[in-house]
Amino acid sequence: MVVVSDREARGFMFAHDKLSWAKEKSKTDFENEAAGKETSIGRTRRLFYATCGRAEQSLAVAGGSGART
């Protein structure tokens, strides 16, 4: 089982909320994409691909807004 959380990532290296469209890309995200630079969204996409690819029997992907009530 893999649980991904931007809050637990403690930094800017990954952006699960942006990958799932729960949060809009920043101006810097757009600038880095246009310049061909590596982005947190790209790193997150590769991490997500790698974790999903390791499923041996089954895979379930669930998302949430991250909001606490």
Side-chain angles (χ1 to χ4, degrees):
M1 176 172 39
V2 176
V3 177
V4 294
S5 168
D6 288 337
R7 183 179 41 224
E8 296 297 322
R10 298 187 196 123
F12 58 89
M13 294 298 293
F14 301 101
H16 302 97
D17 54 354
K18 292 180 184 177
L19 184 63
S20 65
W21 302 288
K23 183 177 178 183
E24 292 187 25
K25 293 180 184 179
S26 68
K27 179 183 175 191
T28 305
D29 292 325
F30 286 111
E31 291 171 351
N32 287 340
E33 285 178 346
K37 294 181 180 178
E38 184 176 66
T39 65
S40 61
I41 298 168
R43 286 188 295 271
T44 306
R45 184 180 300 115
R46 289 190 299 278
L47 176 64
F48 184 71
Y49 175 85
T51 57
C52 290
R54 285 173 173 68
E56 293 183 8
Q57 293 182 359
S58 64
L59 173 67
V61 177
S65 67
R68 293 181 176 236
T69 55

